[in-house]
């Protein structure tokens, strides 16, 4: 009887954990960062890119981005908030169109084989972004 109660409790606990962890999102603590300000300030943009590339110091926001960028690529950003998805689109669009060297450095580090570019190019195209081959 006691063993059955423990097993039932474990099953219930596992179900609760799956429900809670299945809806896990990245923190929205930095969702209100002004991306336009970053994009319009090359020095600031370079600081974020250098952080992610392990070439410079990281702000708290940069550190958060750096911690989750690989996971976001691998999962299609399934843990991203809507605001983070919008910000990702804005950032990629800007880098592809205006900062090709930074884009290349980032893709060389995070997508050296072109796996993620290939996986997400249709999604990007739907947003009006053409991901370069190089």
């Amino acid at each position: 009887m006691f063993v059955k109660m423990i097993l039932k409790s474990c099953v219930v606990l596992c179900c609760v954990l799956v429900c809670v962890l299945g809806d896990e999102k990245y923190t929205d603590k930095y969702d209100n960062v002004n991306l336009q300000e970053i994009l319009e300030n090359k020095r600031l943009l370079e600081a974020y890119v250098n952080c992610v590339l392990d070439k410079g110091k990281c702000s708290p926001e940069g550190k958060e981005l750096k911690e989750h960028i690989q996971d976001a690529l691998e999962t299609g950003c399934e843990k991203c908030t809507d605001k983070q998805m919008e910000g990702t689109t804005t950032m990629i669009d800007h880098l592809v169109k205006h900062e090709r060297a930074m884009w290349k450095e980032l893709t060389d580090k995070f997508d050296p084989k072109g796996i993620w570019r290939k996986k997400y190019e249709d999604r990007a195209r739907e947003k009006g972004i053409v991901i370069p081959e190089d």
Side-chain angles (χ1 to χ4, degrees):
M1 175 86 168
F2 181 70
V3 173
K4 283 185 178 181
M5 279 181 25
I6 290 181
L7 285 175
K8 283 182 180 180
S9 296
C10 286
V11 169
V12 170
L13 179 60
C14 287
C15 289
V16 169
L17 285 174
V18 167
C19 289
V20 170
L21 295 177
D23 288 343
E24 182 183 329
K25 295 282 187 186
Y26 302 129
T27 183
D28 63 356
K29 184 176 180 178
Y30 302 110
D31 280 11
N32 292 317
V33 168
N34 186 340
L35 283 182
Q36 212 50 46
E37 179 182 347
I38 295 168
L39 296 176
E40 292 172 1
N41 182 331
K42 185 138 181 173
R43 182 186 56 78
L44 197 52
L45 179 59
E46 284 176 345
Y48 277 99
V49 170
N50 285 338
C51 161
V52 171
L53 293 173
D54 297 320
K55 291 171 41 177
K57 293 181 182 180
C58 293
S59 65
E61 302 92 340
K63 184 178 178 193
E64 188 74 27
L65 172 64
K66 183 176 170 179
E67 287 176 7
H68 298 295
I69 196 166
Q70 191 66 47
D71 182 65
L73 278 170
E74 292 173 8
T75 64
C77 217
E78 67 185 21
K79 296 177 189 173
C80 293
T81 65
D82 291 342
K83 186 90 169 175
Q84 291 162 356
M85 286 294 289
E86 290 172 25
T88 299
T89 300
T90 299
M91 189 62 71
I92 290 171
D93 186 54
H94 179 84
L95 291 171
V96 166
K97 290 179 180 173
H98 305 289
E99 300 293 346
R100 194 60 75 85
M102 286 183 200
W103 173 255
K104 179 144 177 41
E105 280 188 90
L106 289 165
T107 57
D108 285 350
K109 177 175 177 136
F110 292 101
D111 194 19
K113 295 179 181 176
I115 295 167
W116 307 120
R117 183 191 63 76
K118 188 173 189 150
K119 182 175 180 176
Y120 298 122
E121 67 185 349
D122 289 339
R123 186 189 299 184
R125 197 174 297 113
E126 287 173 9
K127 306 265 185 207
I129 302 169
V130 177
I131 304 294
E133 291 287 328
D134 51 307

